[in-house]
Short mmCIF file of all heavy atoms in Angstrom, two decimals:
data_model
loop_
_atom_site.label_atom_id
_atom_site.label_comp_id
_atom_site.label_asym_id
_atom_site.label_seq_id
_atom_site.Cartn_x
_atom_site.Cartn_y
_atom_site.Cartn_z
N MET A 1 -4.40 0.11 12.10
CA MET A 1 -3.50 1.07 11.51
C MET A 1 -3.05 0.53 10.15
O MET A 1 -2.69 -0.62 10.02
CB MET A 1 -2.30 1.29 12.42
CG MET A 1 -1.30 2.23 11.82
SD MET A 1 -0.04 2.77 12.97
CE MET A 1 1.11 1.44 12.87
N VAL A 2 -3.08 1.39 9.15
CA VAL A 2 -2.64 1.02 7.81
C VAL A 2 -1.36 1.78 7.50
O VAL A 2 -1.28 2.99 7.70
CB VAL A 2 -3.72 1.35 6.75
CG1 VAL A 2 -3.25 0.93 5.37
CG2 VAL A 2 -5.03 0.66 7.10
N THR A 3 -0.35 1.07 7.03
CA THR A 3 0.91 1.71 6.67
C THR A 3 1.14 1.59 5.17
O THR A 3 0.71 0.63 4.54
CB THR A 3 2.10 1.06 7.41
OG1 THR A 3 2.14 -0.33 7.10
CG2 THR A 3 1.99 1.24 8.91
N VAL A 4 1.82 2.57 4.63
CA VAL A 4 2.21 2.57 3.22
C VAL A 4 3.72 2.63 3.18
O VAL A 4 4.34 3.49 3.82
CB VAL A 4 1.61 3.78 2.46
CG1 VAL A 4 2.09 3.79 1.02
CG2 VAL A 4 0.10 3.77 2.52
N ALA A 5 4.33 1.70 2.45
CA ALA A 5 5.79 1.65 2.38
C ALA A 5 6.24 1.18 1.01
O ALA A 5 5.49 0.55 0.28
CB ALA A 5 6.31 0.70 3.45
N ALA A 6 7.49 1.50 0.70
CA ALA A 6 8.08 0.99 -0.53
C ALA A 6 8.24 -0.52 -0.40
O ALA A 6 8.58 -1.03 0.66
CB ALA A 6 9.44 1.64 -0.77
N ASP A 7 7.95 -1.22 -1.48
CA ASP A 7 8.09 -2.67 -1.52
C ASP A 7 9.22 -2.96 -2.49
O ASP A 7 9.18 -2.54 -3.64
CB ASP A 7 6.79 -3.31 -1.99
CG ASP A 7 6.80 -4.82 -1.93
OD1 ASP A 7 7.86 -5.40 -1.61
OD2 ASP A 7 5.76 -5.42 -2.21
N HIS A 8 10.23 -3.66 -2.05
CA HIS A 8 11.42 -3.85 -2.87
C HIS A 8 11.39 -5.13 -3.71
O HIS A 8 12.41 -5.57 -4.19
CB HIS A 8 12.67 -3.82 -1.98
CG HIS A 8 12.81 -2.53 -1.26
ND1 HIS A 8 13.13 -1.36 -1.89
CD2 HIS A 8 12.63 -2.21 0.03
CE1 HIS A 8 13.15 -0.37 -1.02
NE2 HIS A 8 12.85 -0.86 0.16
N GLU A 9 10.20 -5.68 -3.88
CA GLU A 9 10.06 -6.87 -4.71
C GLU A 9 10.40 -6.51 -6.16
O GLU A 9 10.02 -5.46 -6.65
CB GLU A 9 8.62 -7.38 -4.63
CG GLU A 9 8.40 -8.65 -5.42
CD GLU A 9 6.98 -9.17 -5.22
OE1 GLU A 9 6.55 -9.25 -4.06
OE2 GLU A 9 6.35 -9.49 -6.23
N GLU A 10 11.11 -7.36 -6.83
CA GLU A 10 11.47 -7.11 -8.22
C GLU A 10 10.22 -7.10 -9.09
O GLU A 10 9.33 -7.92 -8.92
CB GLU A 10 12.43 -8.21 -8.73
CG GLU A 10 13.79 -8.15 -8.11
CD GLU A 10 14.58 -6.93 -8.50
OE1 GLU A 10 14.49 -6.49 -9.68
OE2 GLU A 10 15.28 -6.37 -7.64
N GLY A 11 10.15 -6.16 -9.99
CA GLY A 11 8.99 -6.06 -10.87
C GLY A 11 9.37 -5.40 -12.18
O GLY A 11 10.54 -5.12 -12.44
N LEU A 12 8.37 -5.13 -12.97
CA LEU A 12 8.60 -4.52 -14.27
C LEU A 12 8.88 -3.02 -14.17
O LEU A 12 9.44 -2.44 -15.08
CB LEU A 12 7.38 -4.73 -15.18
CG LEU A 12 7.05 -6.16 -15.52
CD1 LEU A 12 5.73 -6.22 -16.30
CD2 LEU A 12 8.16 -6.78 -16.34
N PHE A 13 8.46 -2.40 -13.08
CA PHE A 13 8.54 -0.96 -12.95
C PHE A 13 9.55 -0.55 -11.89
O PHE A 13 9.93 -1.33 -11.03
CB PHE A 13 7.16 -0.38 -12.63
CG PHE A 13 6.16 -0.61 -13.71
CD1 PHE A 13 5.28 -1.67 -13.63
CD2 PHE A 13 6.12 0.21 -14.83
CE1 PHE A 13 4.36 -1.90 -14.64
CE2 PHE A 13 5.20 -0.01 -15.84
CZ PHE A 13 4.32 -1.07 -15.76
N LYS A 14 9.94 0.71 -11.94
CA LYS A 14 10.94 1.24 -11.02
C LYS A 14 10.44 1.34 -9.58
O LYS A 14 11.19 1.11 -8.65
CB LYS A 14 11.38 2.62 -11.53
CG LYS A 14 12.50 3.24 -10.77
CD LYS A 14 12.94 4.54 -11.43
CE LYS A 14 14.10 5.16 -10.67
NZ LYS A 14 14.55 6.39 -11.30
N TYR A 15 9.16 1.69 -9.40
CA TYR A 15 8.62 1.90 -8.06
C TYR A 15 7.49 0.93 -7.76
O TYR A 15 6.71 0.59 -8.64
CB TYR A 15 8.08 3.33 -7.92
CG TYR A 15 9.14 4.38 -8.16
CD1 TYR A 15 9.17 5.09 -9.34
CD2 TYR A 15 10.10 4.65 -7.19
CE1 TYR A 15 10.14 6.04 -9.57
CE2 TYR A 15 11.08 5.60 -7.41
CZ TYR A 15 11.10 6.31 -8.59
OH TYR A 15 12.05 7.24 -8.82
N ARG A 16 7.40 0.54 -6.50
CA ARG A 16 6.32 -0.32 -6.04
C ARG A 16 6.04 0.05 -4.58
O ARG A 16 6.95 0.03 -3.75
CB ARG A 16 6.71 -1.79 -6.13
CG ARG A 16 5.61 -2.73 -5.67
CD ARG A 16 6.10 -4.18 -5.73
NE ARG A 16 5.07 -5.08 -5.31
CZ ARG A 16 4.44 -5.92 -6.13
NH1 ARG A 16 4.77 -5.99 -7.39
NH2 ARG A 16 3.51 -6.70 -5.67
N PHE A 17 4.80 0.39 -4.29
CA PHE A 17 4.39 0.72 -2.94
C PHE A 17 3.27 -0.22 -2.52
O PHE A 17 2.44 -0.60 -3.33
CB PHE A 17 3.90 2.17 -2.85
CG PHE A 17 5.01 3.16 -3.02
CD1 PHE A 17 5.28 3.71 -4.25
CD2 PHE A 17 5.79 3.53 -1.94
CE1 PHE A 17 6.31 4.62 -4.41
CE2 PHE A 17 6.83 4.44 -2.08
CZ PHE A 17 7.09 4.99 -3.33
N VAL A 18 3.27 -0.55 -1.24
CA VAL A 18 2.24 -1.42 -0.70
C VAL A 18 1.62 -0.76 0.54
O VAL A 18 2.33 -0.16 1.34
CB VAL A 18 2.79 -2.82 -0.36
CG1 VAL A 18 3.83 -2.78 0.71
CG2 VAL A 18 1.68 -3.79 0.01
N ALA A 19 0.30 -0.85 0.64
CA ALA A 19 -0.43 -0.41 1.82
C ALA A 19 -0.90 -1.68 2.52
O ALA A 19 -1.49 -2.56 1.89
CB ALA A 19 -1.63 0.45 1.43
N ARG A 20 -0.61 -1.80 3.81
CA ARG A 20 -0.96 -3.02 4.54
C ARG A 20 -1.63 -2.66 5.87
O ARG A 20 -1.11 -1.82 6.61
CB ARG A 20 0.30 -3.84 4.79
CG ARG A 20 0.03 -5.19 5.42
CD ARG A 20 1.25 -6.10 5.37
NE ARG A 20 1.49 -6.55 3.99
CZ ARG A 20 2.57 -6.24 3.27
NH1 ARG A 20 3.51 -5.49 3.77
NH2 ARG A 20 2.72 -6.69 2.05
N CYS A 21 -2.74 -3.31 6.14
CA CYS A 21 -3.48 -3.08 7.38
C CYS A 21 -2.89 -3.94 8.49
O CYS A 21 -2.75 -5.16 8.32
CB CYS A 21 -4.96 -3.42 7.18
SG CYS A 21 -5.94 -3.19 8.68
N GLY A 22 -2.55 -3.31 9.61
CA GLY A 22 -2.00 -4.04 10.75
C GLY A 22 -3.06 -4.79 11.54
O GLY A 22 -2.74 -5.58 12.40
N GLY A 23 -4.33 -4.54 11.24
CA GLY A 23 -5.42 -5.21 11.96
C GLY A 23 -5.87 -6.47 11.26
O GLY A 23 -5.76 -7.57 11.79
N CYS A 24 -6.37 -6.31 10.04
CA CYS A 24 -6.93 -7.47 9.33
C CYS A 24 -5.94 -8.12 8.37
O CYS A 24 -6.18 -9.21 7.88
CB CYS A 24 -8.20 -7.06 8.58
SG CYS A 24 -7.91 -6.01 7.13
N GLY A 25 -4.84 -7.44 8.06
CA GLY A 25 -3.82 -8.01 7.18
C GLY A 25 -4.06 -7.77 5.70
O GLY A 25 -3.23 -8.15 4.87
N GLU A 26 -5.18 -7.15 5.34
CA GLU A 26 -5.47 -6.87 3.94
C GLU A 26 -4.44 -5.89 3.39
O GLU A 26 -3.91 -5.05 4.12
CB GLU A 26 -6.88 -6.29 3.82
CG GLU A 26 -7.42 -6.30 2.42
CD GLU A 26 -8.89 -5.89 2.38
OE1 GLU A 26 -9.60 -6.03 3.39
OE2 GLU A 26 -9.29 -5.44 1.31
N SER A 27 -4.14 -5.99 2.09
CA SER A 27 -3.16 -5.08 1.49
C SER A 27 -3.50 -4.78 0.04
O SER A 27 -4.26 -5.50 -0.59
CB SER A 27 -1.75 -5.67 1.59
OG SER A 27 -1.67 -6.85 0.83
N GLU A 28 -2.93 -3.69 -0.44
CA GLU A 28 -3.05 -3.27 -1.84
C GLU A 28 -1.69 -2.74 -2.27
O GLU A 28 -0.95 -2.18 -1.46
CB GLU A 28 -4.07 -2.14 -1.98
CG GLU A 28 -5.50 -2.59 -2.08
CD GLU A 28 -5.84 -3.29 -3.38
OE1 GLU A 28 -5.33 -2.90 -4.46
OE2 GLU A 28 -6.61 -4.26 -3.33
N TYR A 29 -1.36 -2.88 -3.55
CA TYR A 29 -0.10 -2.35 -4.04
C TYR A 29 -0.27 -1.72 -5.40
O TYR A 29 -1.27 -1.92 -6.09
CB TYR A 29 0.98 -3.43 -4.07
CG TYR A 29 0.79 -4.45 -5.17
CD1 TYR A 29 1.37 -4.25 -6.41
CD2 TYR A 29 0.02 -5.58 -4.97
CE1 TYR A 29 1.18 -5.17 -7.43
CE2 TYR A 29 -0.19 -6.49 -5.96
CZ TYR A 29 0.41 -6.28 -7.20
OH TYR A 29 0.22 -7.18 -8.21
N GLN A 30 0.74 -0.96 -5.79
CA GLN A 30 0.75 -0.33 -7.11
C GLN A 30 2.18 -0.25 -7.59
O GLN A 30 3.08 0.12 -6.85
CB GLN A 30 0.16 1.09 -7.03
CG GLN A 30 0.20 1.85 -8.33
CD GLN A 30 -0.74 1.26 -9.37
OE1 GLN A 30 -1.89 0.99 -9.07
NE2 GLN A 30 -0.25 1.06 -10.57
N ASP A 31 2.38 -0.62 -8.84
CA ASP A 31 3.68 -0.47 -9.51
C ASP A 31 3.60 0.73 -10.44
O ASP A 31 2.53 1.08 -10.92
CB ASP A 31 3.98 -1.69 -10.39
CG ASP A 31 4.19 -2.95 -9.59
OD1 ASP A 31 4.78 -2.88 -8.51
OD2 ASP A 31 3.76 -4.02 -10.07
N GLY A 32 4.74 1.31 -10.73
CA GLY A 32 4.76 2.38 -11.71
C GLY A 32 6.17 2.86 -11.99
O GLY A 32 7.08 2.69 -11.18
N SER A 33 6.33 3.49 -13.13
CA SER A 33 7.63 4.05 -13.47
C SER A 33 7.76 5.46 -12.91
O SER A 33 8.84 6.02 -12.86
CB SER A 33 7.83 4.07 -14.98
OG SER A 33 6.77 4.75 -15.61
N ASP A 34 6.63 6.04 -12.46
CA ASP A 34 6.61 7.38 -11.87
C ASP A 34 6.33 7.25 -10.36
O ASP A 34 5.37 6.59 -9.96
CB ASP A 34 5.53 8.22 -12.54
CG ASP A 34 5.41 9.60 -11.94
OD1 ASP A 34 6.33 10.41 -12.17
OD2 ASP A 34 4.42 9.84 -11.24
N TYR A 35 7.15 7.90 -9.55
CA TYR A 35 7.04 7.81 -8.09
C TYR A 35 5.66 8.21 -7.59
O TYR A 35 5.03 7.48 -6.83
CB TYR A 35 8.12 8.70 -7.48
CG TYR A 35 8.17 8.68 -5.97
CD1 TYR A 35 8.95 7.76 -5.30
CD2 TYR A 35 7.44 9.60 -5.22
CE1 TYR A 35 9.01 7.73 -3.92
CE2 TYR A 35 7.50 9.60 -3.84
CZ TYR A 35 8.27 8.66 -3.19
OH TYR A 35 8.32 8.65 -1.83
N GLU A 36 5.19 9.39 -8.00
CA GLU A 36 3.89 9.89 -7.54
C GLU A 36 2.74 8.99 -7.97
O GLU A 36 1.80 8.75 -7.22
CB GLU A 36 3.66 11.32 -8.02
CG GLU A 36 4.56 12.34 -7.37
CD GLU A 36 4.37 12.44 -5.87
OE1 GLU A 36 3.21 12.32 -5.40
OE2 GLU A 36 5.37 12.63 -5.16
N PHE A 37 2.79 8.49 -9.20
CA PHE A 37 1.75 7.59 -9.69
C PHE A 37 1.72 6.31 -8.86
O PHE A 37 0.65 5.85 -8.45
CB PHE A 37 1.98 7.24 -11.16
CG PHE A 37 1.05 6.17 -11.66
CD1 PHE A 37 -0.23 6.49 -12.05
CD2 PHE A 37 1.45 4.84 -11.71
CE1 PHE A 37 -1.11 5.51 -12.49
CE2 PHE A 37 0.59 3.85 -12.16
CZ PHE A 37 -0.70 4.18 -12.54
N ALA A 38 2.87 5.74 -8.61
CA ALA A 38 2.94 4.47 -7.87
C ALA A 38 2.47 4.63 -6.42
O ALA A 38 1.95 3.69 -5.83
CB ALA A 38 4.37 3.92 -7.90
N LEU A 39 2.62 5.80 -5.85
CA LEU A 39 2.25 6.05 -4.47
C LEU A 39 0.78 6.44 -4.32
O LEU A 39 0.17 6.22 -3.27
CB LEU A 39 3.14 7.15 -3.89
CG LEU A 39 3.04 7.48 -2.43
CD1 LEU A 39 3.26 6.23 -1.57
CD2 LEU A 39 4.05 8.55 -2.07
N ARG A 40 0.17 6.97 -5.36
CA ARG A 40 -1.19 7.52 -5.28
C ARG A 40 -2.23 6.50 -4.84
O ARG A 40 -2.99 6.74 -3.91
CB ARG A 40 -1.58 8.10 -6.64
CG ARG A 40 -2.88 8.89 -6.61
CD ARG A 40 -3.17 9.55 -7.94
NE ARG A 40 -2.05 10.40 -8.34
CZ ARG A 40 -1.50 10.38 -9.55
NH1 ARG A 40 -1.95 9.57 -10.47
NH2 ARG A 40 -0.49 11.16 -9.84
N TRP A 41 -2.32 5.35 -5.50
CA TRP A 41 -3.36 4.37 -5.17
C TRP A 41 -3.20 3.78 -3.77
O TRP A 41 -4.17 3.72 -3.02
CB TRP A 41 -3.46 3.26 -6.21
CG TRP A 41 -4.40 2.19 -5.79
CD1 TRP A 41 -4.09 0.90 -5.46
CD2 TRP A 41 -5.81 2.31 -5.59
NE1 TRP A 41 -5.22 0.22 -5.08
CE2 TRP A 41 -6.30 1.07 -5.15
CE3 TRP A 41 -6.72 3.35 -5.74
CZ2 TRP A 41 -7.63 0.83 -4.86
CZ3 TRP A 41 -8.05 3.12 -5.45
CH2 TRP A 41 -8.49 1.87 -5.02
N PRO A 42 -2.01 3.35 -3.34
CA PRO A 42 -1.89 2.81 -1.98
C PRO A 42 -2.28 3.84 -0.90
O PRO A 42 -2.89 3.48 0.10
CB PRO A 42 -0.41 2.43 -1.86
CG PRO A 42 -0.02 2.11 -3.26
CD PRO A 42 -0.78 3.12 -4.10
N LYS A 43 -1.97 5.12 -1.11
CA LYS A 43 -2.35 6.14 -0.14
C LYS A 43 -3.87 6.29 -0.07
O LYS A 43 -4.45 6.37 1.02
CB LYS A 43 -1.70 7.48 -0.49
CG LYS A 43 -0.23 7.52 -0.15
CD LYS A 43 0.44 8.79 -0.61
CE LYS A 43 -0.04 10.00 0.15
NZ LYS A 43 0.69 11.23 -0.24
N LYS A 44 -4.54 6.30 -1.22
CA LYS A 44 -6.00 6.42 -1.23
C LYS A 44 -6.64 5.20 -0.58
O LYS A 44 -7.58 5.31 0.20
CB LYS A 44 -6.52 6.57 -2.66
CG LYS A 44 -6.29 7.93 -3.24
CD LYS A 44 -6.89 8.01 -4.63
CE LYS A 44 -6.65 9.38 -5.23
NZ LYS A 44 -7.24 9.50 -6.56
N TRP A 45 -6.14 4.03 -0.92
CA TRP A 45 -6.68 2.79 -0.36
C TRP A 45 -6.49 2.78 1.16
O TRP A 45 -7.38 2.42 1.91
CB TRP A 45 -6.01 1.58 -0.99
CG TRP A 45 -6.57 0.29 -0.47
CD1 TRP A 45 -7.65 -0.39 -0.95
CD2 TRP A 45 -6.10 -0.47 0.66
NE1 TRP A 45 -7.88 -1.51 -0.19
CE2 TRP A 45 -6.94 -1.58 0.80
CE3 TRP A 45 -5.05 -0.30 1.55
CZ2 TRP A 45 -6.75 -2.52 1.80
CZ3 TRP A 45 -4.88 -1.25 2.55
CH2 TRP A 45 -5.73 -2.35 2.66
N ALA A 46 -5.31 3.20 1.63
CA ALA A 46 -5.02 3.21 3.06
C ALA A 46 -5.99 4.11 3.81
O ALA A 46 -6.52 3.73 4.86
CB ALA A 46 -3.57 3.67 3.30
N ASP A 47 -6.24 5.29 3.29
CA ASP A 47 -7.18 6.21 3.94
C ASP A 47 -8.58 5.61 4.02
O ASP A 47 -9.21 5.63 5.08
CB ASP A 47 -7.24 7.54 3.19
CG ASP A 47 -5.99 8.38 3.36
OD1 ASP A 47 -5.23 8.13 4.31
OD2 ASP A 47 -5.79 9.28 2.54
N LYS A 48 -9.05 5.06 2.92
CA LYS A 48 -10.40 4.49 2.88
C LYS A 48 -10.50 3.27 3.81
O LYS A 48 -11.45 3.13 4.56
CB LYS A 48 -10.75 4.10 1.45
CG LYS A 48 -12.15 3.57 1.31
CD LYS A 48 -12.48 3.26 -0.14
CE LYS A 48 -13.88 2.68 -0.24
NZ LYS A 48 -14.22 2.31 -1.60
N HIS A 49 -9.52 2.40 3.75
CA HIS A 49 -9.54 1.17 4.54
C HIS A 49 -9.47 1.49 6.04
O HIS A 49 -10.19 0.89 6.84
CB HIS A 49 -8.40 0.24 4.15
CG HIS A 49 -8.46 -1.08 4.85
ND1 HIS A 49 -9.29 -2.09 4.43
CD2 HIS A 49 -7.83 -1.54 5.95
CE1 HIS A 49 -9.16 -3.13 5.24
NE2 HIS A 49 -8.27 -2.81 6.17
N ALA A 50 -8.62 2.44 6.42
CA ALA A 50 -8.45 2.78 7.84
C ALA A 50 -9.75 3.33 8.44
O ALA A 50 -10.02 3.11 9.62
CB ALA A 50 -7.33 3.80 8.00
N MET A 51 -10.55 4.00 7.63
CA MET A 51 -11.81 4.55 8.14
C MET A 51 -12.84 3.46 8.42
O MET A 51 -13.70 3.63 9.27
CB MET A 51 -12.37 5.56 7.14
CG MET A 51 -11.55 6.83 7.08
SD MET A 51 -12.11 8.00 5.84
CE MET A 51 -13.77 8.32 6.39
N GLY A 52 -12.76 2.34 7.71
CA GLY A 52 -13.77 1.31 7.85
C GLY A 52 -13.35 0.07 8.62
O GLY A 52 -14.19 -0.64 9.17
N CYS A 53 -12.07 -0.22 8.69
CA CYS A 53 -11.59 -1.44 9.34
C CYS A 53 -11.55 -1.24 10.85
O CYS A 53 -10.97 -0.29 11.36
CB CYS A 53 -10.20 -1.82 8.84
SG CYS A 53 -9.60 -3.37 9.54
N ARG A 54 -12.16 -2.15 11.57
CA ARG A 54 -12.19 -2.05 13.02
C ARG A 54 -11.41 -3.20 13.68
O ARG A 54 -11.53 -3.44 14.87
CB ARG A 54 -13.64 -2.06 13.52
CG ARG A 54 -14.46 -0.91 13.00
CD ARG A 54 -13.96 0.39 13.60
NE ARG A 54 -14.74 1.50 13.07
CZ ARG A 54 -14.20 2.57 12.51
NH1 ARG A 54 -12.91 2.67 12.37
NH2 ARG A 54 -14.95 3.55 12.07
N ALA A 55 -10.62 -3.91 12.89
CA ALA A 55 -9.82 -5.01 13.44
C ALA A 55 -8.72 -4.46 14.33
O ALA A 55 -8.15 -3.42 14.06
CB ALA A 55 -9.22 -5.83 12.30
N LEU A 56 -8.43 -5.18 15.40
CA LEU A 56 -7.34 -4.78 16.28
C LEU A 56 -6.01 -5.18 15.64
O LEU A 56 -5.95 -6.18 14.92
CB LEU A 56 -7.48 -5.48 17.64
CG LEU A 56 -8.71 -5.08 18.45
CD1 LEU A 56 -8.81 -5.95 19.69
CD2 LEU A 56 -8.64 -3.61 18.83
N PRO A 57 -4.94 -4.42 15.92
CA PRO A 57 -3.62 -4.78 15.37
C PRO A 57 -3.23 -6.19 15.76
O PRO A 57 -3.47 -6.62 16.89
CB PRO A 57 -2.68 -3.75 15.99
CG PRO A 57 -3.56 -2.58 16.30
CD PRO A 57 -4.89 -3.19 16.68
N GLN A 58 -2.62 -6.92 14.83
CA GLN A 58 -2.18 -8.28 15.09
C GLN A 58 -0.86 -8.24 15.85
O GLN A 58 -0.06 -7.34 15.67
CB GLN A 58 -1.99 -9.02 13.77
CG GLN A 58 -3.27 -9.13 12.98
CD GLN A 58 -3.04 -9.73 11.60
OE1 GLN A 58 -1.93 -9.99 11.19
NE2 GLN A 58 -4.12 -9.93 10.88
N GLU A 59 -0.64 -9.24 16.69
CA GLU A 59 0.62 -9.32 17.44
C GLU A 59 1.75 -9.74 16.51
O GLU A 59 1.56 -10.57 15.63
CB GLU A 59 0.50 -10.33 18.57
CG GLU A 59 -0.43 -9.87 19.68
CD GLU A 59 -0.43 -10.83 20.86
OE1 GLU A 59 0.58 -11.54 21.03
OE2 GLU A 59 -1.44 -10.87 21.56
N ALA A 60 2.91 -9.16 16.70
CA ALA A 60 4.09 -9.52 15.91
C ALA A 60 4.58 -10.89 16.33
O ALA A 60 4.51 -11.27 17.48
CB ALA A 60 5.20 -8.49 16.12
N GLY A 61 5.10 -11.62 15.34
CA GLY A 61 5.73 -12.88 15.65
C GLY A 61 4.88 -14.01 15.37
O GLY A 61 4.97 -15.10 15.38
#
């Protein structure tokens, strides 16, 4: 399962979103001053990655 969420790490831009795979742990992020722009790439990456990744979700902790 791949999730997309706001990332509150300090950066140069107002918005930062990260897509993270719960199976393999791979992630992608995008910064931007525009909300829609910053969200666009992580959503596309999440869809593509979820279709191909067959790793099982990692245990918490």
Side-chain angles (χ1 to χ4, degrees):
M1 177 168 84
V2 181
T3 58
V4 177
D7 186 355
H8 300 290
E9 182 176 312
E10 291 293 322
L12 297 174
F13 297 97
K14 185 175 181 179
Y15 301 104
R16 180 183 181 111
F17 290 95
V18 63
R20 186 167 288 115
C21 179
C24 71
E26 195 172 337
S27 64
E28 276 290 322
Y29 72 91
Q30 177 68 48
D31 294 322
S33 55
D34 177 72
Y35 181 89
E36 291 297 323
F37 172 81
L39 187 55
R40 189 175 304 132
W41 174 248
K43 284 175 68 176
K44 285 183 181 181
W45 182 87
D47 288 341
K48 183 178 178 183
H49 185 80
M51 289 176 61
C53 184
R54 299 292 179 233
L56 295 174
Q58 299 173 355
E59 291 185 26

